[in-house]
Amino acid sequence: MKRKSSLGIVFIIIGLVLFSIPIHYEWKKGKEIAALEEAFSLISSPQEAPVDLSLIDDVHLNDEELQDLVKLEIPTIGLDQIILREPTEENLSLTLTQIKYEQVPGKGNFTIAGHRGYRENRLFRNLPDVEIGDKAFLNTGTQTFVYEITSSTVISPTQVDVLEDNKKKAEITMITCTLSGLERIAVKGELIQINDSL
């Protein structure tokens, strides 16, 4: 009888540990996202003295990487996410990333990757809901680039031509997985306006 009772307690403890792992993971990622938002807010605010981003806790990026933060907003799907420059697994688990490291908003094809995510308004979960004509806003802190969505298609993972620059127009391309993970959703838009943010 004691053995069954001990075994039951062990299973309860294992269950609690397994249950707490994703909660801890989400809490940690939430702190990192909040820190990135704080860094972006400081960079975007007019300041007389240089901003010391090293004072922000819970950020795994260096000062140079923090200075390069870009924010993507698509109001129609409630998307408001920071974009990191390097598409590493760590960065992709946290937020959206550029696909091409040296790209610049407003020039060529600004490409963005993001996981589908499993929670509302997280990563690119709602990207398939974007409609033609919707607006996407890339904010660099000093300028906002306004793109109008022109297409949303399902493509194979090997169809990388959607990432190529178009010499005739500035574009944005956003990529995420389909629910099955076997294909990709590619949403494209064309630059229609540039506004100064400050």
Side-chain angles (χ1 to χ4, degrees), residues 50-117:
V51 178
D52 186 1
L53 298 172
S54 65
L55 299 175
I56 300 174
D57 295 329
D58 302 311
V59 176
H60 69 274
L61 304 173
N62 62 40
D63 271 6
E64 184 182 336
E65 291 170 314
L66 288 173
Q67 292 289 348
D68 290 335
L69 291 179
V70 176
K71 183 180 262 198
L72 173 66
E73 295 176 60
I74 306 177
T76 56
I77 60 168
L79 189 139
D80 185 356
Q81 296 276 320
I82 295 288
I83 302 169
L84 300 179
R85 181 170 265 194
E86 287 194 67
T88 64
E89 271 309 312
E90 182 178 12
N91 287 348
L92 280 164
S93 72
L94 182 63
T95 189
L96 308 176
T97 70
Q98 296 182 183
I99 297 174
K100 298 184 281 189
Y101 184 80
E102 294 297 330
Q103 63 191 6
V104 178
K107 293 183 180 175
N109 185 6
F110 193 89
T111 57
I112 306 167
H115 287 305
R116 185 69 176 255

